[in-house]
Amino acid sequence: MKKLLLGNEALAQGAIDTGISGVYAYPGTPSTEITEYIQNSKIAQELNIHSKWSVNEKTAMEAALGMSYAGKRVLTVMKHVGLNVAADVFMNMAVSGINGGLVVVVADDPSMHSSQNEQDSRNYGKFAMIPIFEPTNQQEAYDITTYAFYLSEQLALPIMIRMVTRLSHSRAAINIGKRNTQNTIKLSKNPHQFQLIPMHARNRYQHLVGIQSDIRENSENSYFNKFIEGPNTSMGIIAAGIAFNYLMENFENDSCPYPILKISQYPLPKRQVKKLFDKCKKILVLEDGAPFIEELIADYFDENKKVIGRLTGHLNRVGELNPDNIAEALGFERTFANKIPKIVTPRPPELCVGCAHRDLFDAINQLKTENTKQQVFGDIGCYALGSLPPYESINTLIDMGASITMAKGASDAGIHPSIAIIGDSTFTHSGMTGLLDAVIENTPITVIISDNSAVAMTGAQDSAASGRLINICKGIGVDKDHLKVITPLHKKLDENIDVIRNEINYKGVSIVISQRPCVQLSKEKKDQLKKLKQVAIN
């Protein structure tokens, strides 16, 4: 059977068909559709596959490891910067190993379409010493996912699949295979496997190091890595992941004259690289993201710049690859990119019409005229657009949860007013711990939680904070007299300014919850939120 699917959807379908019992994830572009596909899958619902959103990537990966501990197959999904949040458990579960198959999907974002940086997750996979897969197209996204679970159980290791934005968000017809049944609960025969106290962790780490030769051999013989012969040995090409597709778009009927080593599985198959290196006068490396392979093989063999790519300036060092810049590296004319008509004017991103953040920024900017030393520390979410014109209300934007902790540090340094703005979902993701720091020292900061009751930036997924913010803040220790709720509407602008002004003047931790649902939410969803809000008040 064939289905027309996004790369993300093909991967999700592959996971369902392999027999997963759960997916744990936090939404983040370009990875979000993987979990949403499973959430909306009728088959996944019939199979009772767990698919609720987690509070953040770390909790998602830890829960996935718990399901694997029980012997079941499980998927955990995040974008590249989310792996930084989950790095602690990621590195340690490579040492403990897994029980049921566990696949970590990380979607990288070359060109930073919706991200703070371009980091390449293959470095994390290499760091953890686990196998990495990098699909070339949508069919491989499906096939590799099903194989990755089998390899995970064969090696008793987590497996990483690296996606990139263009593959995640482009669509093709793929062949769907047979669906496997889910694993039953079956615990590890080794009672110490998951006990990473030093006496057991040393043994586990030695085991991880000891099986590296098996992992390398698996990659050398991988069905997904291919050596393709070519008559013109003046140049050999290593093409990783989607870069292989970009390469072949430059030649009709797959008629590339150069020998090609297609890479979809790591560790890098060194024997095949050596074969290409010995056969060809020059090696062009095509890979989206960091010069990961180029650095490795330059270290393997190169003393005379035989290897060319992003490091040597033959390809763009930053940003995505595409068929056009690969054509240029091959010495062809750039023919793929269409010129943009003059009538098309660049348009920066902006908040939705009717968005509650707009009214909140109006209030903050009004207060800025009263407090010229006011500093506003922002966070990751739609409200980050408040750093752009016409609002320009936010001074910083670093990572999930940094608004509260940076406001605290600035306040400790003597800045007042020191204001943090954070969304409801980001608050439960990574803001709560920073708030606890501030509460312990009663630091004079005002935290504004802009509560639109959704993870709005990625498509309005459920927020773990919905209906719980007041009780969470009370539980952390915020004084109830300085825990205020406002409704960000234009007609309440003066009233809201008064509330925020009073809390700014308070010399301790204060919280203002600016509460109005995202305009993108359905009426049914808003009705549910009203009920939750009423329960919280009662």
Side-chain angles (χ1 to χ4, degrees):
M1 182 177 66
K2 280 200 169 186
K3 272 189 173 182
L4 186 64
L5 296 174
L6 295 174
N8 277 349
E9 295 171 341
L11 190 153
Q13 184 66 50
I16 293 170
D17 291 344
T18 311
I20 61 167
S21 295
V23 55
Y24 293 90
Y26 183 80
T29 307
S31 71
T32 309
E33 296 84 3
I34 297 171
T35 304
E36 287 187 328
Y37 183 86
I38 297 172
Q39 289 174 334
N40 296 325
S41 164
K42 185 180 176 185
I43 294 171
Q45 291 170 14
E46 290 172 356
L47 296 172
N48 198 30
I49 294 175
H50 177 280
S51 61
K52 295 284 187 185
W53 293 108
S54 300
V55 170
N56 64 34
E57 296 83 358
K58 181 171 181 288
T59 64
M61 195 175 287
E62 289 164 345
L65 184 59
M67 182 169 277
S68 169
Y69 176 90
K72 302 240 178 168
R73 290 177 179 153
V74 59
L75 189 69
T76 182
V77 182
M78 59 210 64
K79 67 181 295 181
H80 58 305
V81 291
L83 185 55
N84 298 333
V85 180
D88 197 0
V89 58
F90 179 72
M91 295 302 296
N92 286 332
M93 74 182 186
V95 176
S96 71
I98 54 86
N99 190 20
L102 194 160
V103 171
V104 180
V105 179
V106 186
D108 288 356
D109 188 19
S111 282
M112 294 183 271
H113 295 283
S114 56
S115 308
Q116 308 97 300
N117 67 42
E118 274 197 0
Q119 76 184 53
D120 191 320
S121 299
R122 291 177 296 176
N123 290 295
Y124 263 117
K126 183 175 181 293
F127 190 20
M129 296 189 288
I130 63 172
I132 311 164
F133 287 90
E134 188 175 13
T136 298
N137 54 35
Q138 291 81 358
Q139 185 65 56
E140 272 202 353
Y142 178 88
D143 295 338
I144 279 177
T145 302
T146 57
Y147 178 71
F149 278 100
Y150 293 118
L151 185 62
S152 174
E153 292 182 349
Q154 179 188 333
L155 297 172
L157 281 180
I159 305 291
M160 172 188 279
I161 298 179
R162 182 212 188 205
M163 298 285 282
V164 293
T165 305
R166 296 294 173 188
L167 179 56
S168 293
H169 289 168
S170 55
R171 199 176 291 274
I174 66 162
N175 293 310
I176 304 295
K178 292 181 179 178
R179 191 168 67 248
N180 294 322
T181 56
Q182 297 178 23
N183 288 353
T184 56
I185 290 177
K186 186 178 180 181
L187 300 182
S188 170
K189 293 178 181 176
N190 178 358
H192 304 306
Q193 178 183 347
F194 294 93
Q195 298 170 339
L196 293 187
I197 56 176
M199 61 183 292
H200 300 317
R202 291 189 196 103
N203 292 334
R204 293 300 310 172
Y205 184 65
Q206 185 60 50
H207 171 74
L208 176 62
V209 172
I211 63 172
Q212 290 304 302
S213 58
D214 295 339
I215 295 173
R216 285 194 296 273
E217 197 59 27
N218 187 280
S219 185
E220 289 282 359
N221 299 307
S222 171
Y223 168 80
F224 298 105
N225 291 333
K226 287 186 171 63
F227 195 103
I228 304 168
E229 297 286 358
N232 187 345
T233 57
S234 64
M235 181 166 64
I237 300 173
I238 297 177
I242 196 169
F244 176 76
N245 266 5
Y246 296 156
L247 169 66
M248 300 312 285
E249 283 190 37
N250 279 279
F251 301 96
E252 291 185 4
N253 303 318
D254 295 340
S255 59
C256 178
Y258 306 110
I260 304 168
L261 177 55
K262 167 187 170 294
I263 299 294
S264 293
Q265 182 175 347
Y266 304 81
L268 206 59
K270 194 171 179 178
R271 289 201 298 271
Q272 297 191 53
V273 174
K274 182 71 164 54
K275 178 181 173 183
L276 189 74
F277 202 89
D278 291 343
K279 184 184 283 279
C280 302
K281 292 181 181 176
K282 186 167 60 178
I283 307 294
L284 175 64
V285 182
L286 306 175
E287 51 188 330
D288 222 347
F292 180 81
I293 295 173
E294 192 178 344
E295 284 184 335
L296 280 176
I297 64 170
D299 285 347
Y300 283 172
F301 317 112
D302 197 21
E303 297 294 337
N304 54 9
K305 295 188 177 178
K306 184 172 180 177
V307 178
I308 60 172
R310 305 191 105 161
L311 286 176
T312 59
H314 289 80
L315 287 159
N316 45 307
R317 176 63 183 83
V318 299
E320 292 175 291
L321 293 186
N322 58 47
D324 218 17
N325 49 31
I326 287 179
E328 196 168 35
L330 291 167
F332 301 163
E333 289 186 13
R334 298 168 66 98
T335 56
F336 288 91
N338 295 321
K339 290 185 178 178
I340 299 173
K342 291 181 179 178
I343 196 172
V344 179
T345 304
R347 184 174 65 86
E350 62 179 22
L351 294 167
C352 300
V353 174
C355 173
H357 299 321
R358 289 172 177 255
D359 296 294
L360 174 62
F361 290 139
D362 285 340
I364 290 171
N365 284 352
Q366 185 67 36
L367 287 163
K368 193 175 182 179
T369 63
E370 303 172 14
N371 300 297
T372 56
K373 294 182 180 178
Q374 168 178 303
Q375 295 296 306
V376 180
F377 300 89
D379 224 299
I380 308 298
C382 298
Y383 48 96
L385 297 174
S387 62
L388 299 177
Y391 301 101
E392 297 180 301
S393 307
I394 294 174
N395 300 103
T396 70
L397 179 69
I398 302 296
D399 63 43
M400 299 281 276
S403 60
I404 297 178
T405 41
M406 286 188 69
K408 181 186 184 304
S411 177
D412 291 343
I415 288 180
H416 187 83
S418 187
I419 301 171
I421 295 184
I422 189 168
D424 50 308
S425 181
T426 307
F427 176 70
T428 51
H429 179 287
S430 299
M432 292 161 56
T433 46
L435 178 61
L436 182 59
D437 275 350
V439 167
I440 289 170
E441 297 185 41
N442 197 28
T443 309
I445 62 172
T446 298
V447 177
I448 300 176
I449 305 176
S450 194
D451 176 14
N452 59 10
S453 303
V455 192
M457 191 167 66
T458 51
Q461 292 81 18
D462 290 341
S463 165
S466 293
R468 301 182 176 92
L469 281 177
I470 293 174
N471 286 336
I472 289 172
C473 293
K474 285 181 180 174
I476 289 174
V478 175
D479 185 342
K480 63 180 176 57
D481 291 335
H482 295 283
L483 179 53
K484 308 292 185 185
V485 178
I486 64 173
T487 303
L489 287 170
H490 184 69
K491 65 183 179 182
K492 295 193 173 187
L493 179 64
D494 292 339
E495 177 185 329
N496 292 340
I497 289 173
D498 286 343
V499 171
I500 299 172
R501 181 190 292 118
N502 288 337
E503 295 312 315
I504 284 175
N505 290 333
Y506 170 61
K507 299 298 184 184
V509 176
S510 59
I511 300 280
V512 177
I513 301 175
S514 177
Q515 197 167 60
R516 183 154 69 86
C518 172
V519 291
Q520 299 290 345
L521 294 183
S522 64
K523 182 179 181 306
E524 292 76 15
K525 188 68 182 177
K526 288 176 181 174
D527 289 341
Q528 290 176 12
L529 291 169
K530 280 182 183 175
K531 292 178 183 175
L532 277 174
K533 183 178 177 182
Q534 195 57 46
V535 170
I537 291 171
N538 293 337

